[in-house]
Amino acid sequence: MTRRGRVVAWVGGVLGVVLLGVIGTGAWVYQHLNGNIHGADVNSELGTDRPVNLSPGSKNILVVGSDSRAGTGDKYGGGLTTMQSDTLMVLHIAANHKWATAVSFPRDSWVRIPECDKGDGGKSTPHHFKINEAFSIGGLSGDVRKAAACSIKTVEKNTGLRIDHFVSVDFQGFKGMVNALGGIEVCPKQAIHDKKAHLDMEAGCQTVKDEKALGYVRTRYSVGDGSDLGRIGRQQEFMKALAAKAQSKLTSPTDLYGFLDSATKSLTTDQDLAGIKPLYDLAATVKDIPSDRLTFLTVPTYPREADVPTDKANVIWQYPQASELFGDLAHDREVGAEGKKKFADAAKNPITARSVRVRVLNGTDKTGLAGVGAQKLRPLGFTVVSTDNGKPTDKTTISYPPALKAQAEVLAARLPGVKAVESAQATPGAVTLTVGPDISTIES
């Protein structure tokens, strides 16, 4: 399976690869499968505080691999605290349909979670946590609309990308797809014994299905380097094998039916994608993109431990590279192989927040605002070297000497709405944050 097949597999939960099989199954079967797909009115939950679409005609599709842990692929959130998001990615399809980029977000990404409707009459408080928590917060009531909405809000808040469509693939329904195909062969290079994933496997090639298949795509700590990046790679390879085996069944509608039934039951989309035809049209669009113009990457990250020594579990998006990536996609600029290599090279020597030295100045006549600014920076890991009074300003700003442009961009990326400006008068060796009267409204 080529990279093209991998994208098609994820876009439609493998559905896109095998939709040709649906066409030959007859009207009743088509209607049955079409009715399996759940449509959620996500837009009604998002409100108006959203990024502007800077490239009309392009599409950003948020794809979530979810696990209801309720044992059923067609009922979300059997309990009030069961909805989980194990996989998260954005597929950007260019307006000219000639290229696409898929960006995966590690579930341990430490990001801003905005206020979300929990579905129980209350709202969550904005805070920082793992990105996958957004799906759980919104899904406290078992309503996939709110789970999806909170995930979309979180991705939009942290990337600046306008999300146009949403697709959720339920991992419990995923088991049904695997079983309908008689299992999938995997070849782990080492034995895996993971209590959290309920998985015990010996090394070597073997066919997995049922809970073992689900455990294999969810395992993390007991294989490889234990990172979420490794799990993303295993999931992509498993989905590739799943799509390839489903593709081999295209000539046998009878063999394919069980797979398609489980695949469609596992899908929840926004209302505009809720049906076989719109999903097929979407998959066909991606399928026609040349394979050398499909780019797959993971948002650049580094361990949060580098900024906060006590946190040994999470990762931070690497700036300014993450901002460049999201800016390219927002303006419909192709990342391509060169861009992917640039991000990979930069990841070898990330500029951590802790390495950025910051002077915080109070640019107002109100006492204590320099301290407020410092309080926003220290939990993020930035090194505050001093606080003092500065020149009056109407708006919080960042200034930097020419040699510290990248460090200033790292700081600006963590204070949305604050611009960084080069200044020959800036203090050498430090970035200067001058606090204005708007500091209390600036998220960090």
Side-chain angles (χ1 to χ4, degrees):
M1 177 69 72
T2 63
R3 290 184 299 167
R4 175 186 305 170
R6 195 182 313 168
V7 170
V8 175
W10 270 110
V11 169
V14 193
L15 187 62
V17 178
V18 296
L19 275 171
L20 288 175
V22 179
I23 305 303
T25 56
W28 179 86
V29 173
Y30 180 96
Q31 291 299 325
H32 173 74
L33 297 176
N34 194 69
N36 281 345
I37 300 170
H38 303 269
D41 184 11
V42 178
N43 286 337
S44 65
E45 301 290 330
L46 295 176
T48 58
D49 184 18
R50 305 183 63 191
V52 175
N53 184 349
L54 299 177
S55 55
S58 67
K59 297 295 183 185
N60 291 313
I61 303 159
L62 183 66
V63 182
V64 174
S66 68
D67 185 359
S68 71
R69 311 205 181 167
T72 56
D74 59 342
K75 294 181 180 178
Y76 280 82
L80 291 181
T81 59
T82 59
M83 299 183 76
Q84 305 289 329
S85 165
D86 276 1
T87 302
L88 192 68
M89 66 176 284
V90 168
L91 175 65
H92 176 89
I93 301 175
N96 63 11
H97 295 176
K98 293 183 178 180
W99 61 272
T101 296
V103 180
S104 293
F105 303 104
R107 59 175 288 179
D108 295 339
S109 297
W110 191 262
V111 299
R112 297 184 300 276
I113 309 291
E115 177 184 274
C116 288
D117 186 345
K118 297 188 293 185
D120 59 359
K123 292 185 180 294
S124 64
T125 301
H127 63 287
H128 283 76
F129 206 72
K130 301 173 190 283
I131 195 169
N132 70 322
E133 187 199 38
F135 198 80
S136 300
I137 290 175
L140 283 174
S141 68
D143 187 342
V144 71
R145 294 177 306 148
K146 298 187 185 302
C150 193
S151 290
I152 291 172
K153 286 181 178 180
T154 299
V155 171
E156 290 187 340
K157 176 69 70 175
N158 287 275
T159 67
L161 296 173
R162 173 85 174 211
I163 300 301
D164 302 292
H165 294 294
F166 169 82
V167 176
S168 174
V169 185
D170 191 311
F171 279 172
Q172 294 291 344
F174 162 84
K175 288 192 304 182
M177 296 185 235
V178 173
N179 292 349
L181 295 175
I184 299 297
E185 185 179 61
V186 297
C187 299
K189 295 180 179 179
Q190 64 187 73
I192 304 173
H193 303 292
D194 188 337
K195 291 183 179 179
K196 290 186 177 181
H198 305 290
L199 182 65
D200 284 292
M201 295 178 65
E202 299 304 320
C205 294
Q206 55 205 281
T207 298
V208 296
K209 54 185 178 179
D210 294 315
E211 290 295 331
K212 183 168 284 191
L214 186 58
Y216 181 79
V217 298
R218 294 187 62 239
T219 189
R220 169 181 174 179
Y221 298 105
S222 300
V223 60
D225 62 3
S227 73
D228 199 43
L229 302 181
R231 171 162 54 184
I232 288 172
R234 284 189 297 278
Q235 289 175 347
Q236 289 178 339
E237 290 304 311
F238 193 96
M239 295 299 284
K240 179 175 67 174
L242 180 68
K245 192 163 186 179
Q247 197 173 40
S248 71
K249 303 287 188 180
L250 282 175
T251 57
S252 175
T254 301
D255 291 342
L256 193 60
Y257 176 77
F259 171 80
L260 287 172
D261 192 38
S262 294
T264 50
K265 283 180 179 178
S266 76
L267 288 176
T268 295
T269 73
D270 60 274
Q271 289 185 320
D272 289 341
L273 282 184
I276 285 190
K277 186 181 186 304
L279 283 173
Y280 179 81
D281 291 342
L282 177 62
T285 297
V286 179
K287 186 174 182 295
D288 289 339
I289 294 174
S291 61
D292 62 350
R293 299 192 69 182
L294 289 173
T295 303
F296 298 84
L297 51 82
T298 300
V299 63
T301 64
Y302 64 87
R304 187 169 180 255
E305 182 181 6
D307 293 334
V308 182
T310 56
D311 186 352
K312 302 181 184 302
N314 301 302
V315 296
I316 287 288
W317 292 355
Q318 180 183 348
Y319 294 100
Q321 287 76 20
S323 294
E324 293 173 8
L325 170 60
F326 303 141
D328 285 342
L329 298 183
H331 290 90
D332 206 26
R333 295 191 292 259
E334 187 171 4
V335 176
E338 288 187 7
K340 182 176 180 179
K341 183 179 184 302
K342 179 183 70 174
F343 294 136
D345 289 344
K348 298 174 184 177
N349 294 292
I351 299 175
T352 65
R354 184 166 290 274
S355 70
V356 180
R357 295 164 50 83
V358 186
R359 296 172 65 238
V360 183
L361 303 181
N362 184 353
T364 76
D365 57 5
K366 184 176 180 180
T367 303
L369 286 193
V372 173
Q375 288 173 4
K376 286 181 175 287
L377 300 185
R378 289 192 178 103
L380 299 177
F382 288 98
T383 300
V384 177
V385 295
S386 65
T387 59
D388 205 342
N389 292 320
K391 294 181 179 180
T393 181
D394 294 330
K395 191 174 183 180
T396 299
T397 61
I398 295 170
S399 59
Y400 61 91
L404 296 182
K405 178 180 179 181
Q407 286 79 356
E409 290 176 343
V410 169
L411 177 60
R414 306 297 289 276
L415 300 174
V418 181
K419 302 297 183 182
V421 179
E422 182 177 320
S423 171
Q425 287 73 46
T427 301
V431 176
T432 299
L433 176 69
T434 302
V435 174
D438 59 337
I439 187 64
S440 63
T441 64
I442 295 173
E443 298 179 356
S444 59

